[in-house]
Amino acid sequence: AGTGSNPPAYRYKKDDDDDAESSSPPLPVPWWFNPATAELFHSLPMEDDDVIVSSGVKMGTSWLTNLLVSLLYEYDDDGKLISEAVANREKIPGRLGQTYPDSLYPTRAAKDADEQGIYKRMPQGRKILDDVFGDFVWEDLVRQPRPRMFASHLFGRKYLPRELFDDDEDAKRKGKGRLIVVVRNLKDTMCSLHNFRGTAIDGWLGNEHGPGSFRRWVTLDGCPNAMGSAFHWVREAGAAVEHIGKERALVVHYESLILNFAAQLVRINSFLGLPDLAEAKARAIEVACSLDTMASSNLRTRRNCRKGGICGWRDIEVGDDLWAEFDDTFNEVLAGVEMAEPMRFFQWKDVPGRPPSSSRGCDADADPRKWPSYLLVMLKEGMVVPDLYFLGKDRPTPTTEFRSSLYSSEPSLDFDARNVDGSSRYHLFLSASCPLASAVGAARSLLGLEDAITVDVADGQSSAGWVFLNGSTCPPWKGREGPFWLYEAYQLADPLCTTIISVPVLFDTVTQKIVSNDSWEVIKLISGGASRTDFNVWRNPPGVIAKEGLFPIGTVDDAEKMFSHLQANLFTPTETAGVECLRSGNAESPIVIEARKKVFKSLEELEGLLGQNRFLLGNDVTAVDIHLATFLFAFDACYYDAHALRMTEGNHGPVLTGDGHPNLKAYSREMYRLLKSTLNFASFRHGFRLAHAVSLTRQSYSRYTVSAGKLTSSLDEELPDLNDIVSSLEVPAGDRPSCPLKESAPPPNKIKCEGVPMPFFFRQDSYNIFRDMDVMEDDIFLSSGVKMGTTWVNKILNTLLHDFDEDGNKVTSHSDDSLPNRLGQSYPEAMPPTREVEQQEREQGKGKKWDIAKTIFGDFTLDDLLGQTAPRLFSTHLFGQRMLPTKLFDVRKTEKNQEPLGKRSFSHKGKGRLIVVVRNLKDTLVSLHHFQGVPKDGWYGNEHGPGSLRRYLDVDDCPNAYGSTFNWVKASAAAVNDIGPERSLVICYEALKNNFDAQLRRINDFLGLPPLSKAKTQAISEACSAKNMKTQTGARFKSMVRKGAIGDWTNYLDEIHWEKVDRTFSKVLSGVELAEPLRFFQFEDIPGMPLLSAKECDLNTDPRSWPPPLLVKLREGMIVPDPYFLNKNTPQSTVVPTQFKSTIRPECYLRLEETGNDGSPRFHLFLAGSCPLASSVAAARILLGLENLISMDTSDGQSGAGWVFLKGVTCCPWKEREGPFWLYEAYQLADPLCTTSISVPLLWDTVAQKIVSNDSWEIMKMLSGAASDLGFCSSPDDVLHVIAKQDQNSNIPTLFPDCMEQDIEQMHVSTVKPLLDGVETGFEYLRNGYVETQLVLEGRNKVFVMLEELEELLGDRSFLLHNLTGVDVRLAFCLLQFDACYWDKFELRSSEKYRGPILTGDIYPNLKAYLKGMYRLMKPAVHFESFRQLYRLGHAIEFTRQSYSRSAVASDKALNGMKKELPNLNDIVSSLA
């Protein structure tokens, strides 16, 4: 009823209504309703692919119709509009908005004649209807292309097509077509109808014009609204859906479309039997069906598109009494109607039954029975519906199994992985009131995983399931205010899931999926992850948890059997007793009695078992103990009373406060001691809320109440005393059955080879054969230190050589362990030489040692290893030239003879390839310490031995297998140097971990294999992942695959002890090139970080007091010291430097109008205010007016990892990451194997994620050329007057006009470059400890000669080439930094030709005037305070030399440098004013 109108006066009574139905009132219909076509619609001959859409008034008809049109007719899989789609919109009914069958005339003649007089009912009636439904007739609708779609407000079996339904009388006639019913919560529907085409004239509550919208709405039999009562509409529509069945009938809830359009679209697509929905098509449909698109389109029904929100009814002030009347009407008509169940969730003003306070606010006296009762709910196809399981009905079959869906059959988690914000990847949703969830929380604590897995604990149940009143700490809900409901996590993981909303939930914040919601599996997952990653730092009394975690080796099968037994005989019967009482209201039913008996029988069995064992499976606490213990705690606190278990015959009373189970009580006390910090007994009482929740749910959904008898505790009934329970647990457990605690000790290494200790499996005979073996050209020798990644690299090499073709398909299978090295490395020094030797030793009783070794290395001999097909692979911990095969190395000998020279030389060229694997030595120590269990003498030593740390640091007499790791690295480096880069390769474990694909490509190229395909790379990467290696069937070494993290050493020892490792490293390995990359991963914090950001510095800031940085570069992608600053004559690496010059754009060409993926500029500059070359690029950007077209970040200074940006950067892909950001990360991303200095400026392409150039002169040319190509003037006005133009006829500014190209280059080479080269000799001065070498003296003089020439040149011009060009920008910054830093820091004042500074002196008037003019133009790019950072360079050189070379150069000038007064920047700036 719109403004100024009354409710419809038109009624429809079907022609075939029989006598029984004739008493029912006719259906109210809108003014345009045509009974003739309604009858034709009812008798429509159906096709199998016909789609009938039945939607209530204002329930989303227009929206769903538009969705179906887009899905069925208008878009292809590429998301593009089909060519004939637009033309068909006017030709075919329903394409520009629904065309109701009952709104049409049967034929064109009948329409033209207006046979029913319909058009006369409303002024301009025909025009109105043609505007709304189109100029069509029934014949047009029937003839539409298949699949045909018919949309209508008609409903139920009485009005919809007869052939849609099965024939009740003729079983052979089956229904055809598909029915889609659209429903919406009825309160929002009522509000939408009230406001449709204007507010109803009789208002909400009625007036002289009528009863009002609300009263009309809740009137059932006499409802005057079009299509009658919405309650009846839903009931009849639900009956039709139930009759047709789920295969041909689909219910679409308006709210589910709003909340998750994409998932519902997939659901509809699947229901219609269409091909899988392409992502592009889905996106296009979502855009086409958005409210904004529909409201602004040419859809005829666009005026019907209103607010379309959810729960807008809450803003309507009609009073709580009327809303309660509405709810009563809903219950009266729709209780038990399955289709209506999800509506109720959106008809609550507030979620009922929420706990009044958080679980932290509860104490032992809290009585949750007094809290508001909640409704029992679950998720069905992603929507919250009642869970009628407790009312005696079956639950819908779950569609989603949340059980390790992301992981392999052998569960494992990678605790090294982090979320994008650096937080833990995995998160637990628990509840302290659920013993299964409590068991998971206890396992997390016992395993020391608080930092590895975050957790939220629910405050209790509500009518939307588990609720967290204060919100959640888990991404993506982390910053949102509470409350948070657990169903949201389930919906995010699977928007269409059908499942109970249960705890615990293990959530993966990276994939935003549920890993598992099964408590037993979750504990397996986290225990497996802990045992593999060294998070197992037990915080409870030692000796109760095995080193393998909560599933010790040899007990896994027993644990599974024990848990299954407890589940079947204790946990499930306890639940059965309680549920059946609630369902039937009879605490003495046969099912309940039988369940009780089973519970106490199981307790008796456990009583006997725990009289013999300390824990269920022996000496170690396992996962099954945690499950049992949390159950026992809940048993006394809740189950014993709430589930009426006390009524059982033979009941020995509660476990903890009774005397019938002394062993169970003692066991519970010991477990309580371990789990105490994770328990909340007050929360166990939440179980007493269940009875009232069942009662409320039954009243709300089923309209009948069953007395729950003895089970439903009244508010007067006394609850178990929690204080008594806790007090009973605080008593010491007393003597418990036990056996000796297990500890591992370091194995004695009495065997020695070449003076180096060897492990128990070492064989001298095999070693001798290995040393003297004939080496083939393609042999590969893998030499890696103990715990440096041997297993991993051996697996990589085997997989690369043998396992996959170029398409990534597996080509071999080694599950039979028929070949050496394939299921774990087979060390040549560990295997018997031949089968004959092995047999002889067995006959002599010496085979026991080999039996142990072959479980590790396989049942092979050295003959088997030597007999491998080419290329042969030999993996070993043997190292250096004195242990590896002699023929791997070049051999040079000399002998005296009678030749004139007195000596004759001859040589043997080495063969084969050597791959050396190294790892940072601190992580290596930690991994070695934990290998095969923590050693008995611990870290620092005790009566059992010197301890891991002292053994490790004992370089000269280290007792560890294969000796000192420091000596191992040194000898391996010498071997690599001796063999040379063509036949030797060093693999750093950290490089392999950080960029596997690049290192794999490097190994592949070194071995001379064909180029790697993407598919093969991916296959190898997956096969060699830690997860796959830990779970690989048959792999002998999978138990040795540990955490493998980088920087795990920071979790152990302290700074003092780690300093000892650093000192030993420097003592043994300084100057060893192979060891240089390791040091970077042995920093706990990057040294030399600036103390202030660039923005925080001012003209008085003195950076000399800041920590000195190390001077580093990248070599093959890894950070190493930069030898240039240590000694210019240091031999350079043989690795060819990477060139970053116009690698993306040929001919220095940029398109500045292009944007990145996020809409920001495509190109980005990384600069530093302290670098004159980078500053000249910043100035060019300003002079050319490119600030809005090229983004920029300015470094805060140098650190031990190069240029650093303390607050992070604004450039993709690091835009959202918190600082600091290091520039080397950009170099590594552009080329993971690059060898380069980490220099500024850097021009970055955010789309290609590549470096365009890091050459300042080239970048300036590129910016200038790109600015010219813009075709418009973007330079500031004051610059336009002086800057060069592209040509005489052009007004486009440029710093590099084509006509001056040669002049600019000549000027740059003849003036600026010599000046820079002269200044650079200052580095020589610093490198040599402030000694004035001849090179330094010549460089200083060269500087002042050039200044004199420039002074003369600028006497008759304002710029070097009369107009402002790039060479002026370059020169200006060199000269500006001259006064602020160079002349003082590099001791240029000592030159014979020194004539004072430029700006604060009077010797160079022309240069001073020139600089004043340039400063005025470039002022925003000049940062004098940053220029001073050059004063850190001298100290950085000393610090780097001390760190890497052990040879600091003493200098009085260097020591006095900290005290010397710096040039006054304020005077310099004033001189430029």
Side-chain angles (χ1 to χ4, degrees):
T3 303
S5 67
N6 288 315
Y10 304 100
R11 301 288 187 269
Y12 168 55
K13 191 169 182 66
K14 283 176 56 61
D15 292 342
D16 59 353
D17 276 358
D18 55 28
D19 293 339
E21 293 175 320
S22 59
S23 59
S24 62
L27 180 69
V29 294
W31 66 269
W32 40 259
F33 185 85
N34 191 325
T37 43
E39 294 294 335
L40 290 173
F41 181 54
H42 184 59
S43 58
L44 172 70
M46 293 285 292
E47 304 287 351
D48 285 332
D49 58 355
D50 282 348
V51 181
I52 307 296
V53 178
S54 175
S55 167
V57 178
K58 303 312 298 172
M59 289 189 182
T61 319
S62 299
W63 194 14
L64 189 74
T65 303
N66 191 38
L67 182 156
L68 290 171
V69 167
S70 301
L71 180 64
L72 291 170
Y73 311 120
E74 298 210 332
Y75 289 95
D76 62 18
D77 284 347
D78 295 327
K80 297 178 180 178
L81 204 62
I82 296 171
S83 57
E84 63 271 17
V86 175
N88 286 342
R89 289 174 179 173
E90 295 292 347
K91 298 177 183 177
I92 300 175
R95 300 294 175 89
L96 275 180
Q98 62 271 24
T99 303
Y100 297 145
D102 44 291
S103 71
L104 306 175
Y105 271 103
T107 64
R108 179 63 59 181
K111 176 182 175 81
D112 292 341
D114 191 16
E115 289 181 351
Q116 301 284 341
I118 292 173
Y119 300 148
K120 298 183 178 67
R121 297 175 183 172
M122 185 72 69
Q124 296 186 324
R126 177 165 182 168
K127 182 179 185 304
I128 293 173
L129 290 186
D130 286 351
D131 287 345
V132 175
F133 301 117
D135 185 13
F136 300 109
V137 296
W138 169 254
E139 292 174 343
D140 300 325
L141 199 58
V142 173
R143 287 196 297 263
Q144 62 178 304
R146 295 176 63 176
R148 301 182 299 179
M149 183 179 69
F150 302 87
S152 175
H153 289 316
L154 292 172
F155 57 97
R157 195 169 183 184
K158 183 174 181 179
Y159 299 109
L160 294 177
R162 186 183 295 110
E163 291 189 9
L164 180 63
F165 303 88
D166 296 344
D167 194 322
D168 292 337
E169 297 179 359
D170 182 4
K172 294 182 181 180
R173 190 182 72 73
K174 296 295 184 182
K176 296 181 178 181
R178 291 180 173 88
L179 172 65
I180 298 179
V181 172
V182 187
V183 289
R184 184 184 186 189
N185 89 76
L186 298 188
K187 291 182 180 178
D188 276 338
T189 305
M190 177 177 71
C191 295
S192 189
L193 185 61
H194 174 79
N195 293 293
F196 181 51
R197 303 289 176 84
T199 306
I201 195 171
D202 52 355
W204 274 110
L205 305 179
N207 52 34
E208 68 277 11
H209 299 287
S213 289
F214 185 87
R215 187 57 52 203
R216 287 198 307 277
W217 190 264
V218 296
T219 300
L220 298 176
D221 294 333
C223 177
N225 292 342
M227 299 301 164
S229 165
F231 297 100
H232 285 165
W233 191 99
V234 172
R235 184 182 64 191
E236 297 303 318
V241 168
E242 190 172 342
H243 180 92
I244 293 173
K246 293 182 178 179
E247 290 188 0
R248 293 194 302 111
L250 180 72
V251 178
V252 177
H253 288 272
Y254 179 90
E255 290 78 10
S256 67
L257 270 177
I258 287 276
L259 294 173
N260 202 316
F261 183 91
Q264 292 299 318
L265 180 61
V266 171
R267 178 170 170 253
I268 295 168
N269 185 83
S270 177
F271 168 73
L272 294 176
L274 302 176
D276 289 346
L277 193 61
E279 186 176 347
K281 182 175 180 178
R283 285 198 303 268
I285 294 173
E286 188 163 7
V287 172
C289 296
S290 69
L291 189 63
D292 290 342
T293 302
M294 290 178 63
S296 60
S297 69
N298 61 344
L299 289 174
R300 289 188 292 270
T301 53
R302 62 186 178 276
R303 289 175 296 171
N304 297 354
C305 299
R306 295 187 58 259
K307 183 178 180 181
I310 299 175
C311 298
W313 65 269
R314 294 173 181 166
D315 299 328
I316 306 301
E317 299 292 339
V318 299
D320 289 343
D321 291 343
L322 290 179
W323 287 129
E325 182 183 347
F326 186 104
D327 292 335
D328 289 341
T329 305
F330 188 101
N331 288 334
E332 179 185 345
V333 181
L334 298 176
V337 177
E338 185 177 0
M339 190 179 82
E341 290 166 358
M343 294 182 185
R344 188 186 305 266
F345 181 76
F346 300 100
Q347 292 176 188
W348 294 330
K349 201 156 196 173
D350 194 9
V351 175
R354 279 197 284 176
S357 62
S358 71
S359 57
R360 295 179 181 178
C362 297
D363 56 25
D365 298 320
D367 189 349
R369 295 174 301 176
K370 299 176 183 178
W371 296 359
S373 293
Y374 59 92
L375 295 163
L376 297 163
V377 294
M378 63 176 295
L379 288 171
K380 187 171 74 177
E381 294 184 319
M383 302 196 72
V384 177
V385 299
D387 184 356
L388 304 181
Y389 172 72
F390 289 94
L391 305 188
K393 297 184 179 181
D394 292 332
R395 288 182 174 127
T397 303
T399 58
T400 309
E401 287 289 337
F402 294 106
R403 297 195 58 178
S404 203
S405 56
L406 304 182
Y407 303 91
S408 62
S409 58
E410 187 174 339
S412 179
L413 300 180
D414 181 7
F415 291 139
D416 295 333
R418 314 297 285 177
N419 205 332
V420 290
D421 62 355
S423 62
S424 302
R425 173 173 182 172
Y426 301 103
H427 186 89
L428 280 168
F429 294 103
L430 305 178
S431 167
S433 62
C434 171
L436 298 180
S438 294
V440 173
R444 169 179 174 264
S445 178
L446 277 180
L447 294 169
L449 298 177
E450 288 91 335
D451 295 331
I453 306 177
T454 51
V455 69
D456 285 316
V457 179
D459 298 298
Q461 287 271 34
S462 72
S463 295
W466 296 103
V467 63
F468 302 75
L469 296 175
N470 296 321
S472 170
T473 61
C474 171
W477 307 282
K478 192 172 183 178
R480 197 187 83 179
E481 292 186 1
F484 165 78
W485 283 275
L486 186 58
Y487 77 80
E488 299 178 76
Y490 279 91
Q491 283 181 333
L492 180 60
D494 182 353
L496 297 178
C497 65
T498 295
T499 183
I500 58 173
I501 308 167
S502 63
V503 286
V505 166
L506 178 60
F507 192 78
D508 186 330
T509 65
V510 174
T511 62
Q512 297 194 344
K513 296 289 184 183
I514 292 175
V515 182
S516 181
N517 65 347
D518 178 86
S519 64
W520 182 247
E521 185 179 53
V522 170
I523 292 181
K524 286 169 76 174
L525 284 162
I526 66 176
S527 180
S531 65
R532 289 171 170 85
T533 55
D534 274 355
F535 272 101
N536 47 342
V537 184
W538 316 131
R539 297 179 183 163
N540 294 286
V544 296
I545 301 177
K547 64 179 182 293
E548 298 90 359
L550 296 173
F551 292 86
I553 293 175
T555 68
V556 177
D557 291 340
D558 292 338
E560 293 282 0
K561 291 176 184 177
M562 178 62 77
F563 181 77
S564 297
H565 176 79
L566 292 177
Q567 186 86 356
N569 297 284
L570 184 61
F571 304 156
T572 299
T574 301
E575 181 186 4
T576 300
V579 170
E580 186 59 29
C581 284
L582 293 170
R583 282 175 159 178
S584 64
N586 182 5
E588 298 296 338
S589 72
I591 295 177
V592 176
I593 292 173
E594 185 62 29
R596 289 182 196 144
K597 288 181 179 179
K598 191 177 284 190
V599 168
F600 284 98
K601 180 182 178 182
S602 183
L603 290 176
E604 289 302 316
E605 292 174 354
L606 290 169
E607 175 68 17
L609 176 64
L610 292 168
Q612 302 172 9
N613 290 354
R614 183 180 182 187
F615 301 107
L616 289 174
L617 299 179
N619 254 6
D620 298 318
V621 170
T622 64
V624 73
D625 288 296
I626 299 176
H627 271 90
L628 175 60
T630 52
F631 171 84
L632 294 175
F633 300 145
F635 184 88
D636 272 34
C638 177
Y639 294 151
Y640 184 69
D641 284 279
H643 290 204
L645 295 175
R646 68 167 68 235
M647 303 173 187
T648 307
E649 295 179 10
N651 170 19
H652 293 290
V655 175
L656 305 177
T657 53
D659 299 318
H661 305 94
N663 293 325
L664 273 172
K665 182 187 290 189
Y667 167 81
S668 298
R669 286 170 175 169
E670 185 161 11
M671 290 301 298
Y672 175 75
R673 182 169 58 93
L674 297 175
L675 309 182
K676 181 178 178 180
S677 63
T678 69
L679 299 173
N680 186 334
F681 277 90
S683 292
F684 287 144
R685 277 189 169 173
H686 286 200
F688 285 97
R689 297 181 72 200
L690 185 59
H692 305 287
V694 170
S695 179
L696 178 64
T697 306
R698 181 174 284 117
Q699 292 172 13
S700 300
Y701 288 99
S702 300
R703 289 183 295 161
Y704 65 92
T705 303
V706 175
S707 172
K710 296 179 181 180
L711 184 68
T712 306
S713 59
S714 69
L715 293 178
D716 297 329
E717 188 176 329
E718 189 174 347
L719 297 181
D721 192 318
L722 297 183
N723 293 299
D724 289 347
I725 295 174
V726 173
S727 297
S728 73
L729 290 168
E730 295 286 358
V731 176
D735 293 334
R736 300 274 295 118
S738 63
C739 52
L741 304 182
K742 293 181 290 186
E743 288 181 303
S744 60
N749 295 307
K750 298 179 181 179
I751 307 170
K752 290 197 175 183
C753 172
E754 309 291 345
V756 177
M758 288 289 135
F760 77 94
F761 53 72
F762 177 82
R763 298 182 61 107
Q764 186 70 43
D765 52 357
S766 296
Y767 167 75
N768 293 337
I769 297 172
F770 177 63
R771 278 277 288 164
D772 295 334
M773 67 177 281
D774 287 328
V775 177
M776 306 298 180
E777 292 285 0
D778 57 358
D779 282 349
I780 303 166
F781 295 89
L782 170 62
S783 174
S784 82
V786 179
K787 304 314 297 175
M788 287 188 178
T790 319
T791 305
W792 191 21
V793 180
N794 183 81
K795 171 74 173 176
I796 292 168
L797 290 171
N798 269 297
T799 309
L800 177 64
L801 293 169
H802 306 296
D803 285 1
F804 294 101
D805 61 20
E806 294 307 305
D807 297 323
N809 299 316
K810 191 79 181 287
V811 294
T812 60
S813 174
H814 306 297
S815 58
D816 60 349
D817 204 6
S818 59
L819 299 171
N821 270 331
R822 300 298 174 87
L823 290 180
Q825 58 270 29
S826 302
Y827 296 152
E829 69 269 27
M831 295 182 289
T834 64
R835 289 292 176 196
E836 290 75 14
V837 172
E838 178 191 353
Q839 184 61 34
Q840 291 172 8
E841 291 182 351
R842 289 191 183 282
E843 292 172 357
Q844 297 169 8
K846 299 178 181 178
K848 185 176 180 182
K849 184 171 76 170
W850 170 237
D851 287 339
I852 298 172
K854 76 178 183 180
T855 63
I856 305 173
F857 305 112
D859 188 10
F860 303 107
T861 66
L862 186 55
D863 267 359
D864 297 326
L865 202 57
L866 294 172
Q868 298 176 83
T869 56
R872 300 183 298 180
L873 172 64
F874 301 89
S875 296
T876 181
H877 288 316
L878 297 172
F879 58 96
Q881 191 164 359
R882 65 176 178 167
M883 288 189 180
L884 293 173
T886 56
K887 294 178 183 178
L888 175 64
F889 300 87
D890 295 343
V891 178
R892 298 177 180 85
K893 294 183 179 179
T894 60
E895 63 180 31
K896 294 182 179 180
N897 59 16
Q898 302 302 318
E899 297 295 327
L901 294 178
K903 290 185 179 181
R904 180 168 59 89
S905 298
F906 62 94
S907 66
H908 162 74
K909 296 295 291 183
K911 296 180 180 180
R913 292 180 172 89
L914 172 65
I915 296 177
V916 172
V917 184
V918 291
R919 184 185 187 189
N920 91 73
L921 300 193
K922 291 181 179 178
D923 277 336
T924 302
L925 167 59
V926 170
S927 190
L928 186 62
H929 175 79
H930 291 94
F931 180 54
Q932 299 291 317
V934 175
K936 200 170 186 178
D937 53 354
W939 278 110
Y940 307 114
N942 51 35
E943 70 276 10
H944 300 289
S948 289
L949 181 63
R950 188 178 300 174
R951 287 197 305 275
Y952 196 70
L953 296 177
D954 190 349
V955 175
D956 297 325
D957 197 22
C958 176
N960 293 343
Y962 298 97
S964 164
T965 304
F966 299 93
N967 286 339
W968 189 98
V969 173
K970 188 173 184 178
S972 295
V976 167
N977 291 337
D978 187 84
I979 292 175
E982 290 187 0
R983 293 195 301 114
S984 66
L985 179 72
V986 178
I987 296 293
C988 288
Y989 178 92
E990 290 77 11
L992 203 55
K993 189 86 173 173
N994 287 332
N995 202 313
F996 183 90
D997 290 358
Q999 292 298 319
L1000 181 64
R1001 187 172 71 246
R1002 182 167 168 255
I1003 296 170
N1004 186 83
D1005 294 346
F1006 169 72
L1007 296 178
L1009 302 176
L1012 271 175
S1013 67
K1014 187 175 182 180
K1016 185 174 181 179
T1017 301
Q1018 179 65 26
I1020 295 173
S1021 178
E1022 291 177 2
C1024 298
S1025 68
K1027 180 179 72 175
N1028 281 343
M1029 290 183 65
K1030 291 172 186 175
T1031 59
Q1032 181 186 0
T1033 304
R1036 295 186 301 274
F1037 273 67
K1038 63 181 179 179
S1039 63
M1040 299 186 186
V1041 178
R1042 296 181 61 258
K1043 182 178 180 182
I1046 298 174
D1048 187 43
W1049 63 270
T1050 58
N1051 298 313
Y1052 302 91
L1053 304 185
D1054 55 30
E1055 186 176 347
I1056 295 173
H1057 292 95
W1058 286 128
E1059 282 181 0
K1060 293 181 179 180
V1061 177
D1062 290 332
R1063 286 198 297 271
T1064 306
F1065 187 103
S1066 295
K1067 177 183 177 182
V1068 180
L1069 297 176
S1070 284
V1072 176
E1073 185 177 1
L1074 181 145
E1076 290 167 358
L1078 305 182
R1079 188 187 303 267
F1080 180 74
F1081 299 98
Q1082 295 175 188
F1083 298 143
E1084 185 162 9
D1085 295 305
I1086 300 294
M1089 293 284 281
L1091 297 184
L1092 298 173
S1093 70
K1095 293 181 179 178
E1096 294 172 318
C1097 296
D1098 57 28
L1099 296 178
N1100 298 312
T1101 300
D1102 186 351
R1104 293 177 300 178
S1105 61
W1106 296 1
L1110 291 167
L1111 299 167
V1112 294
K1113 61 179 291 184
L1114 287 170
R1115 188 179 70 217
E1116 293 185 305
M1118 300 195 72
I1119 292 181
V1120 298
D1122 189 346
Y1124 173 77
F1125 291 99
L1126 302 183
N1127 185 347
K1128 192 174 183 180
N1129 298 320
T1130 300
Q1132 295 296 303
S1133 170
T1134 56
V1135 182
V1136 178
T1138 308
Q1139 293 294 318
F1140 293 105
K1141 296 186 69 173
S1142 291
T1143 55
I1144 305 299
R1145 300 281 180 168
E1147 301 177 1
C1148 306
Y1149 184 71
L1150 301 178
R1151 290 191 180 91
L1152 297 182
E1153 66 274 13
E1154 295 180 2
T1155 60
N1157 297 327
D1158 60 353
S1160 60
R1162 173 171 181 170
F1163 299 102
H1164 186 88
L1165 282 167
F1166 293 104
L1167 305 176
S1170 58
C1171 172
L1173 303 183
S1175 296
S1176 64
V1177 172
R1181 173 176 172 266
I1182 293 170
L1183 294 171
L1184 295 167
L1186 301 180
E1187 293 95 323
N1188 295 325
L1189 297 177
I1190 300 179
S1191 53
M1192 183 181 79
D1193 281 307
T1194 301
S1195 172
D1196 299 298
Q1198 286 273 25
S1199 73
W1203 296 105
V1204 63
F1205 302 75
L1206 297 175
K1207 305 295 184 182
V1209 293
T1210 60
C1211 166
C1212 291
W1214 308 281
K1215 192 173 185 178
E1216 303 300 326
R1217 197 188 84 181
E1218 292 185 1
F1221 168 81
W1222 285 275
L1223 188 58
Y1224 78 81
E1225 298 178 74
Y1227 279 93
Q1228 284 182 333
L1229 181 58
D1231 182 352
L1233 298 178
C1234 66
T1235 295
T1236 180
S1237 60
I1238 307 168
S1239 63
V1240 287
L1242 192 71
L1243 181 58
W1244 178 256
D1245 186 331
T1246 65
V1247 174
Q1249 296 195 346
K1250 294 288 184 182
I1251 294 171
V1252 182
S1253 179
N1254 65 347
D1255 180 270
S1256 61
W1257 188 241
E1258 183 181 55
I1259 292 173
M1260 290 174 66
K1261 290 180 179 179
M1262 297 174 81
L1263 299 188
S1264 184
S1268 298
D1269 289 338
L1270 290 174
F1272 58 87
C1273 178
S1274 52
S1275 298
D1277 291 341
D1278 55 346
V1279 175
L1280 282 174
H1281 297 300
V1282 295
I1283 195 169
K1285 305 299 188 296
Q1286 192 58 258
D1287 54 56
Q1288 293 181 352
N1289 301 320
S1290 171
N1291 199 31
I1292 298 176
T1294 178
L1295 292 173
F1296 294 89
D1298 295 340
C1299 59
M1300 300 175 64
E1301 181 178 1
Q1302 291 184 351
D1303 294 336
I1304 292 174
E1305 290 293 345
Q1306 178 61 35
M1307 183 63 73
H1308 183 252
V1309 170
S1310 63
T1311 59
V1312 179
K1313 196 170 185 309
L1315 186 63
L1316 288 172
D1317 291 343
V1319 169
E1320 194 171 346
T1321 58
F1323 294 132
E1324 178 72 9
Y1325 177 63
L1326 300 178
R1327 267 199 302 262
N1328 288 283
Y1330 300 80
V1331 174
E1332 295 177 330
T1333 64
Q1334 184 62 33
L1335 182 62
V1336 172
L1337 296 174
E1338 291 174 358
R1340 288 175 183 164
N1341 290 332
K1342 187 185 297 184
V1343 169
F1344 288 98
V1345 168
M1346 185 51 60
L1347 290 178
E1348 291 292 336
E1349 292 180 7
L1350 288 170
E1351 174 67 16
E1352 182 179 352
L1353 178 66
L1354 291 168
D1356 63 348
R1357 62 189 71 186
S1358 299
F1359 303 100
L1360 292 174
L1361 295 172
H1362 300 286
N1363 290 111
L1364 174 63
T1365 63
V1367 73
D1368 290 295
V1369 179
R1370 194 69 168 266
L1371 173 63
F1373 271 100
C1374 182
L1375 296 178
L1376 288 172
Q1377 195 148 4
F1378 183 89
D1379 272 33
C1381 184
Y1382 289 154
W1383 71 277
D1384 180 71
K1385 180 61 182 174
F1386 290 161
E1387 291 290 338
L1388 295 177
R1389 69 171 79 215
S1390 302
S1391 171
E1392 296 176 4
K1393 299 182 180 297
Y1394 174 67
R1395 297 177 59 196
I1398 299 171
L1399 298 173
T1400 53
D1402 299 318
I1403 307 300
Y1404 302 104
N1406 296 330
L1407 278 173
K1408 182 186 291 190
Y1410 171 75
L1411 284 180
K1412 286 182 177 181
M1414 290 299 297
Y1415 178 71
R1416 179 175 56 84
L1417 298 174
M1418 306 186 308
K1419 185 176 179 179
V1422 181
H1423 301 283
F1424 281 102
E1425 64 279 5
S1426 294
F1427 290 166
R1428 274 192 170 169
Q1429 292 217 21
L1430 189 62
Y1431 282 93
R1432 299 179 72 200
L1433 183 59
H1435 308 291
I1437 289 175
E1438 291 179 28
F1439 181 51
T1440 307
R1441 181 177 286 115
Q1442 290 170 10
S1443 299
Y1444 288 101
S1445 302
R1446 291 183 295 157
S1447 58
V1449 179
S1451 169
D1452 293 337
K1453 292 185 178 180
L1455 297 175
N1456 293 331
M1458 293 293 291
K1459 304 175 183 178
K1460 185 170 62 175
E1461 188 175 348
L1462 299 182
N1464 191 311
L1465 296 183
N1466 293 292
D1467 291 346
I1468 295 174
V1469 173
S1470 297
S1471 72
L1472 289 167

